[in-house]
Amino acid sequence: MLGYTITQWLFGILSFLAIMFALMVVFSRNPVNSVLYLVLTFFCIAGHYILLNAQFLAIVHIVVYAGAIMVLFLFVIMLMNLNQNDEPQKTWLSKIIAAVAGGMLLFVFVGSLKGAEQLNLTAYGSSQIGTVKNLGKVLFSEFLFPFEIASVLLLAAMVGAIMIGKKETK
Amino acid sequence: MINSISINYYLLLSAVLFTIGAVGVMARRNSIIIFMCIELMLNAVNLLLVSFSTLHGDAKGQVFVFFIMAVAAAEVAVGLAILSMIYRNVKSIDTDLMTNLKN
Amino acid sequence: MIKLASLVPLFPLIGFLINGFFGKKLSKGLSGTIASLSILASFVLSVLIFIELNGSAEKSHVIDLFSWISSGTLNIPFEFLIDPLSSWFLLIITGIGFLIHIYSIGYMHDDEGFSRFFTYLNLFVFFMLLLVLGNNYLIMFIGWEGVGLCSYLLIGFWFKNTAYNNAARKAFVMNRIGDLGFLLGIILIFVTYGSISYDQVFVKAGTVDTSVVTAIALLLFIGAMGKSAQIPLYTWLPDAMAGPTPVSALIHAATMVTAGIFMVTRSNVFYSISDTAGMVVAVVGAATALFAATIGLLQNDIKKILAYSTVSQLGLMFLGLGVGAYSSSVFHVTTHAFFKALLFLGAGSVIHAMGGEQDIRKMGGLKGHIKITFLTMLIGTIAISGIPPFSGFFSKDEILAHVYEHNKVLWLVGMITSMLTAFYMFRMMFVTFWGKFRGTHSQEHHLHESPSTMTIPLIVLAILSVLGGALGLPEFWGTPNWMHHWLDEIIIRKNPSILHHDTEWTLMGLAVAGAVAVIYFAHMMYNKNKVLPAEKEEQLKPWQRLIYNKYWIDELYDAIVRKPLDLISEIFHKFLDIAMIDGIVNGVGMAVKGIGSGVRLLQQGNIGFYVVSMVLGAAFILLVTFLI
């Protein structure tokens, strides 16, 4: 259609949505709105993952990020009763400086990517690299040690969070 | 099907998302928003890793993303715990008021 | 035995280490005994080496200890050379050193720095032995510098007195000036010949242009000027009398000051090739001899008289070296070591008897009180005046005969010097030992002969002064000149004497007659007419005052050398040191502090600011890495 393949259309829409929602995350006043926009951004990125043959990762992404991390954020926001819209804003000067800095970063990124080769994303191996089976094979053979350590890391984080969050016993 | 998109577009998309996250960190005073923008930055990187993994046909990129997600989850848990503690003590999560490290 | 020659300097070194580390804990007797025994061991070994060398046909033995410096073309092994010259000097150094050690046990008995004294003495002997034993100029230089150091330590031994410290410093600095010349000479030798080992250099000595050889010879002689107190670097020696008398005897009479003679004799090939250098050496020696002798005429400190006499005799030795009479000069070194050490030790005995008084105007009539000292000193004085059959006569006459062959003017200077020597030495004797006692009552009560540790070395040295002449009896008497034969090997270019026998007899007769006449004149003046040295300087006539003030040479050096140096030093201190260098160093510190206090204000504690800086920094790095 219109000289572009379906894939390119999908890519374009998903990218556009992702960027738009990301901008809304940054610019919305209400913190709850920011959280919701972020969730939408994650969905778009998950869509990208599916485009890239990373099916398992897409599902995991949604479950972990949108399902757990964002819920956590919402809980904390509710706890702190941050529903008010009159939340303090940074000064205009700071915002301009932030925008300029960000702009410079973007400029450098784009500039350094300018001369990059135009490599087409072909599925070298197969479309199966992202399946559970394949990923599991790699994860449990080559990356067994980091996998186990990751579980230890999560345990440590859990314990740490509880320790930090405990009320001091008088 | 994927053959028609070149890697450069993903590079650019990732860069843009990363920059938006960076601007968010710099331009907001609410600590939780800052946290979320950090998550956004992490996701931009994840996207890039996955796209390169597809480019090279190597599953290692996706495994890396896996681990990044695990670490991000842990980091959010601990970070929010700290934030709660600060809220309990200072009654505010405005970063401009947390200047105890001055000079 | 020759193979064990490396033990000879080792014994004094061990003595030095033991006394140096444990001296305070040892008793005085033990400390002195250890030091003296180490020198005795070296002496015994030197005697054995000498005997073995005498019997062996090969007169030059090299003992390789280890390869010391080896870099590129520069190859300097640490080797000792045992040949007639070095073995003879070994005997002198260890023999007289041993006697002086025994003497010091008695002389320094009441001093609290007793063990320190012996530590330094042993160290000195070690370095002196190194100097004569080395097979190349660098080892000699080590010994050279080392004895200069020990001279400084020993002159300033009683360091609580500032004047003594200044004297020590003066000696060291003047020595250093000479050492610069010496070092330049060594470097020139290396550049010219590619090596500094004696055997390699002396063989090739004549292969280069004479002007180079002259330069080498003169540079080496500058070192000798400093070490052996010749004009213009002689003023330290009279001031060096500030040290204890055994030090004056050992270092400034018998050994260290003869290092210059040793060096020139060892390098005799250079001085034989280059007539200019030889003439310079002879002229400087003669001038020094005469100059110092005139100053000695009016000195009143018993040690200063002996000091100037030493300078004068050294000048005579250099005169002999300059005309090519190497064995004669070494002979005179030997006899001079005997009688000058004797005289110094005797003077020490006199000072000991007088309770520390050194001015001869306050002495007199001592010959009844300290008989052994008197007799031995008389023997020494007769020897130095050149009266036969005492040793000084033979050695001095041999030198003068060679000088006469070479240059009549220099011979005349030598003759006058000898006569002056006889005069002021007997003046010293007459004023000190004859006549009435002119000191205080308490001093008179205190007069006593020195203990046997002090008198026995005096007696031994007196015997040597009497019999030492046998070492070098003149050839034309029909007797063989042993010293001449012994040292014949090391003299590269022979210079035999061609004087007619009658001339030699005449010269001898002239010398003796002159000496006797002068002694008679002194006797008349001081004994019969009871002329006493002037009590105050104002009583002196102008020419006498010139001599009495040592021609104001010290003051001259002060004005020419010391004041400008002090001025330069002051300027450097004020402008370079304080203003610039301190300014820079302090300035750096203050700059860092200033920058620090400025940059510190960046830390506002505001997280947002930090993040912005981080992002900007990352952007900058990426910019530099990828786009530029």
Side-chain angles (χ1 to χ4, degrees):
Chain A
M1 264 188 269
L2 283 145
Y4 293 115
T5 61
I6 288 275
T7 322
Q8 285 171 328
W9 267 112
L10 276 173
F11 175 81
I13 294 172
L14 280 172
S15 312
F16 175 68
L17 283 177
I19 293 178
M20 194 184 74
F21 289 140
L23 284 170
M24 293 311 295
V25 168
V26 173
F27 289 134
S28 67
R29 283 275 192 103
N30 197 336
V32 181
N33 285 353
S34 290
V35 174
L36 295 172
Y37 282 125
L38 194 59
V39 173
L40 287 170
T41 317
F42 286 156
F43 273 107
C44 297
I45 295 184
H48 274 292
Y49 284 168
I50 296 184
L51 262 186
L52 288 167
N53 275 331
Q55 305 93 337
F56 177 62
L57 215 51
I59 304 298
V60 167
H61 185 88
I62 293 176
V63 166
V64 168
Y65 267 112
I69 295 180
M70 286 302 118
V71 171
L72 200 60
F73 268 112
L74 270 175
F75 275 153
V76 173
I77 289 180
M78 297 301 180
L79 203 66
M80 296 184 193
N81 221 358
L82 287 178
N83 259 339
Q84 296 99 341
N85 273 349
D86 48 1
E87 157 175 322
Q89 293 278 320
K90 271 195 168 336
T91 59
W92 270 109
L93 181 64
S94 309
K95 287 197 210 173
I96 290 179
I97 292 176
V100 167
M104 284 178 68
L105 192 64
L106 185 62
F107 167 71
V108 168
F109 275 143
V110 170
S112 49
L113 293 172
K114 194 168 89 76
E117 267 183 69
Q118 300 266 1
L119 292 168
N120 272 337
L121 290 168
T122 48
Y124 271 124
S126 59
S127 55
Q128 306 294 319
I129 14 168
T131 53
V132 184
K133 184 162 152 202
N134 195 29
L135 215 51
K137 227 191 317 187
V138 175
L139 200 58
F140 280 102
S141 57
E142 254 179 277
F143 295 95
L144 182 63
F145 185 64
F147 185 72
E148 303 299 331
I149 296 298
S151 63
V152 176
L153 171 74
L154 289 171
L155 178 68
M158 197 159 59
V159 171
I162 293 176
M163 280 304 301
I164 295 176
K166 249 167 78 151
K167 260 208 166 61
E168 279 142 29
T169 47
K170 300 270 192 303
Chain B
M1 284 243 287
I2 196 74
N3 330 13
S4 41
I5 305 177
S6 69
I7 189 73
N8 298 49
Y9 293 110
Y10 275 105
L11 282 173
L12 218 52
L13 172 66
S14 185
V16 169
L17 282 175
F18 189 84
T19 315
I20 294 176
V23 169
V25 171
M26 290 190 275
R28 299 296 300 251
R29 263 164 89 164
N30 195 333
S31 308
I32 305 209
I33 310 287
I34 294 180
F35 241 117
M36 294 197 311
C37 295
I38 294 177
E39 292 302 315
L40 188 56
M41 290 200 275
L42 278 170
N43 272 285
V45 173
N46 281 356
L47 184 60
L48 194 64
L49 271 168
V50 173
S51 61
F52 269 104
S53 153
T54 314
L55 175 67
H56 291 296
D58 200 348
K60 293 208 185 82
Q62 298 190 9
V63 171
F64 203 176
V65 170
F66 209 72
F67 285 118
I68 290 181
M69 274 199 228
V71 172
E75 164 220 341
V76 165
V78 176
L80 286 178
I82 294 177
L83 221 53
S84 311
M85 275 292 99
I86 294 179
Y87 181 74
R88 216 181 275 169
N89 288 332
V90 184
K91 290 289 179 294
S92 151
I93 44 169
D94 187 347
T95 48
D96 277 353
L97 298 179
M98 300 188 222
T99 55
N100 281 343
L101 278 177
K102 188 172 174 137
N103 285 346
Chain C
M1 269 315 128
I2 291 186
K3 302 255 184 337
L4 297 176
S6 49
L7 285 180
V8 173
L10 190 64
F11 290 130
L13 185 65
I14 294 177
F16 158 70
L17 288 171
I18 294 180
N19 265 328
F21 285 124
F22 306 115
K24 287 269 166 57
K25 306 192 186 95
L26 298 170
S27 74
K28 277 191 184 166
L30 194 57
S31 178
T33 315
I34 290 178
S36 309
L37 276 180
S38 58
I39 306 290
L40 183 62
S42 294
F43 177 62
V44 167
L45 202 53
S46 308
V47 169
L48 292 171
I49 290 177
F50 174 74
I51 295 176
E52 188 178 325
L53 193 65
N54 202 4
S56 105
E58 169 62 49
K59 286 287 183 229
S60 165
H61 298 257
V62 172
I63 300 163
D64 194 357
L65 290 176
F66 53 90
S67 174
W68 181 29
I69 299 178
S70 173
S71 107
T73 52
L74 183 62
N75 192 12
I76 305 179
F78 202 89
E79 288 175 334
F80 283 161
L81 174 67
I82 302 288
D83 71 353
L85 184 64
S86 62
S87 69
W88 187 248
F89 266 84
L90 279 184
L91 283 176
I92 297 179
I93 296 168
T94 50
I96 299 204
F98 174 62
L99 288 172
I100 294 183
H101 272 72
I102 300 286
Y103 182 89
S104 308
I105 296 181
Y107 190 79
M108 302 293 290
H109 183 72
D110 295 324
D111 198 298
E112 55 173 87
F114 190 82
S115 60
R116 188 163 57 99
F117 186 73
F118 279 100
T119 313
Y120 291 157
L121 268 189
N122 269 7
L123 187 65
F124 168 79
V125 175
F126 166 69
F127 275 124
M128 191 71 204
L129 290 172
L130 215 59
L131 197 157
V132 303
L133 277 174
N135 190 28
N136 58 59
Y137 279 102
L138 198 56
I139 300 180
M140 185 199 269
F141 190 63
I142 296 177
W144 194 269
E145 295 284 324
V147 298
L149 169 71
C150 293
S151 172
Y152 166 79
L153 289 171
L154 283 164
I155 294 174
F157 182 70
W158 289 309
F159 54 81
K160 301 214 170 88
N161 184 327
T162 318
Y164 295 169
N165 287 341
N166 288 343
R169 200 173 43 176
K170 180 172 177 177
F172 193 72
V173 171
M174 276 197 151
N175 257 234
R176 271 323 246 149
I177 298 176
D179 290 346
L180 178 62
F182 191 33
L183 199 55
L184 285 174
I186 296 180
I187 294 176
L188 190 56
I189 290 179
F190 177 68
V191 165
T192 318
Y193 298 110
S195 159
I196 52 174
S197 295
Y198 297 146
D199 38 11
Q200 288 171 3
V201 170
F202 295 155
V203 164
K204 311 191 248 181
T207 57
V208 296
D209 196 33
T210 316
S211 56
V212 177
V213 178
T214 309
I216 292 177
L218 287 177
L219 283 172
L220 291 177
F221 182 58
I222 293 179
M225 269 198 243
K227 188 66 75 183
S228 301
Q230 298 297 293
I231 292 177
L233 297 171
Y234 72 94
T235 53
W236 64 271
L237 190 52
D239 284 358
M241 296 299 117
T245 311
V247 169
S248 307
L250 182 60
I251 297 185
H252 306 125
T255 39
M256 187 181 93
V257 291
T258 59
I261 316 283
F262 174 79
M263 189 264 292
V264 172
T265 311
R266 176 62 83 202
S267 326
N268 59 73
V269 64
F270 294 132
Y271 296 93
S272 302
I273 293 179
S274 157
D275 287 326
T276 330
M279 187 50 93
V280 167
V281 171
V283 167
V284 168
T288 311
L290 187 59
F291 193 70
T294 54
I295 300 182
L297 287 175
L298 282 174
Q299 293 299 313
N300 289 326
D301 183 332
I302 193 172
K303 284 177 72 173
K304 284 247 169 43
I305 297 177
L306 293 175
Y308 282 107
S309 128
T310 306
V311 176
S312 178
Q313 294 299 307
L314 286 169
L316 209 58
M317 291 178 222
F318 275 110
L319 176 58
L321 286 175
V323 299
Y326 300 107
S327 67
S328 318
S329 292
V330 174
F331 184 30
H332 198 57
V333 165
T334 316
T335 57
H336 178 261
F338 294 152
F339 53 67
K340 194 44 72 64
L342 170 62
L343 284 168
F344 264 111
L345 294 184
S349 187
V350 168
I351 297 171
H352 178 88
M354 290 287 294
E357 177 63 64
Q358 292 184 220
D359 194 330
I360 58 172
R361 295 176 288 196
K362 303 218 174 37
M363 303 180 192
L366 291 178
K367 68 174 153 85
H369 298 268
I370 41 177
K371 293 201 173 58
I372 301 182
T373 309
F374 164 64
L375 278 172
T376 48
M377 278 197 82
L378 186 61
I379 292 176
T381 314
I382 300 177
I384 198 176
S385 308
I387 309 286
F390 290 68
S391 55
F393 161 69
F394 291 104
S395 56
K396 209 182 280 200
D397 188 73
E398 206 180 312
I399 291 183
L400 286 177
H402 275 96
V403 174
Y404 181 79
E405 246 187 284
H406 215 79
N407 188 324
K408 308 284 186 286
V409 173
L410 289 178
W411 173 82
L412 194 61
V413 170
M415 274 299 290
I416 297 178
T417 308
S418 306
M419 298 206 301
L420 288 176
T421 307
F423 180 76
Y424 65 70
M425 287 309 293
F426 269 96
R427 165 180 178 266
M428 180 191 83
M429 287 301 289
F430 291 147
V431 172
T432 312
F433 290 101
W434 265 262
K436 219 162 45 77
F437 186 70
R438 293 181 295 276
T440 64
H441 251 312
S442 59
Q443 279 174 334
E444 192 163 5
H445 277 287
H446 188 258
L447 284 175
H448 62 280
E449 184 59 85
S450 309
S452 55
T453 48
M454 284 167 70
T455 51
I456 292 185
L458 287 176
I459 298 174
V460 172
L461 283 170
I463 297 175
L464 283 172
S465 302
V466 171
L467 300 177
L471 286 171
L473 295 170
E475 302 243 309
F476 68 91
W477 280 15
T479 47
N481 188 335
W482 179 85
M483 182 65 90
H484 187 73
H485 282 276
W486 179 246
L487 289 178
D488 202 43
E489 293 280 328
I490 57 136
I491 298 177
I492 313 279
R493 297 198 177 188
K494 316 285 184 216
N495 185 11
S497 173
I498 46 165
L499 272 187
H500 200 60
H501 279 194
D502 290 340
T503 328
E504 297 223 19
W505 277 113
T506 322
L507 291 175
M508 233 182 231
L510 266 177
V512 176
V516 170
V518 157
I519 294 173
Y520 184 69
F521 176 59
H523 173 72
M524 278 288 123
M525 190 164 147
Y526 291 104
N527 282 350
K528 280 283 159 17
N529 296 343
K530 301 251 192 280
V531 173
L532 291 174
E535 283 298 325
K536 296 198 202 347
E537 197 182 321
E538 292 79 37
Q539 298 167 341
L540 295 171
K541 303 203 203 52
W543 64 271
Q544 284 176 328
R545 214 185 278 178
L546 178 67
I547 295 178
Y548 185 68
N549 281 315
K550 310 163 270 165
Y551 297 93
W552 283 291
I553 292 286
D554 277 319
E555 286 77 8
L556 185 70
Y557 283 170
D558 243 11
I560 298 181
V561 179
R562 200 176 63 81
K563 286 215 170 51
L565 276 179
D566 275 351
L567 194 64
I568 294 177
S569 170
E570 191 73 39
I571 294 175
F572 272 19
H573 181 60
K574 277 219 185 66
F575 295 122
L576 283 188
D577 208 21
I578 294 185
M580 262 180 56
I581 295 182
D582 277 357
I584 291 177
V585 172
N586 286 348
V588 168
M590 282 198 289
V592 171
K593 217 166 129 195
I595 294 176
S597 63
V599 174
R600 195 163 56 104
L601 298 170
L602 271 179
Q603 297 254 3
Q604 284 142 340
N606 189 349
I607 307 180
F609 177 69
Y610 293 167
V611 177
V612 172
S613 354
M614 267 197 287
V615 170
L616 282 175
F620 178 69
I621 293 177
L622 287 172
L623 186 76
V624 167
T625 320
F626 290 113
L627 293 185
I628 293 181

